[in-house]
Amino acid sequence: MSAREQLFRYLSEAERRYRTLSLVRGGALVLLIAVVGTTLAVAGLLARPMGIGALRVLQFLLFFSLGLAIAYLVGMPLFSWTRRRTAGELERRSP
């Protein structure tokens, strides 16, 4: 195996680890947003009882915010990891 192949294998493995780390971090933040959003929605409904229309609006807002959070916190980091970015991150962390 040539040195170039070893380098590409190392970069591929590092890229996989960074993608996994991005997925875990994004998933944790999405869960945090889900818990906080649900807590706020329930607290709002308990503080001032509203009709079914308000419940539907709160559900829509919660699901919409979760969709945006998944797209932004999970999807974008997964697609932004490239070999070039991986190499730059490795050089930044251990020059």
Side-chain angles (χ1 to χ4, degrees), residues 42-49:
V42 169
L45 288 172
L46 290 176
R48 183 187 300 181

Side-chain angles (χ1 to χ4, degrees), residues 28-44 62 65-66:
L29 289 173
V30 167
L31 286 175
L32 178 67
I33 290 170
V35 169
V36 169
T38 303
T39 304
L40 290 174
V42 169
L62 180 63
S65 65
L66 286 177

Side-chain angles (χ1 to χ4, degrees), residues 11-67:
L11 285 176
S12 295
E13 184 65 28
E15 184 178 352
R16 187 186 63 77
R17 285 194 308 262
Y18 281 128
R19 283 180 188 262
T20 303
L21 181 64
S22 294
L23 181 65
V24 170
R25 284 182 180 168
L29 289 173
V30 167
L31 286 175
L32 178 67
I33 290 170
V35 169
V36 169
T38 303
T39 304
L40 290 174
V42 169
L45 288 172
L46 290 176
R48 183 187 300 181
M50 298 176 240
I52 192 75
L55 178 64
R56 297 281 183 222
V57 169
L58 288 173
Q59 282 179 335
F60 173 77
L61 290 175
L62 180 63
F63 288 130
F64 184 73
S65 65
L66 286 177

Side-chain angles (χ1 to χ4, degrees), residues 61-82:
L61 290 175
L62 180 63
F63 288 130
F64 184 73
S65 65
L66 286 177
L68 287 177
I70 289 170
Y72 186 73
L73 297 172
V74 176
M76 289 192 55
L78 286 180
F79 291 116
S80 67
W81 278 111
T82 60

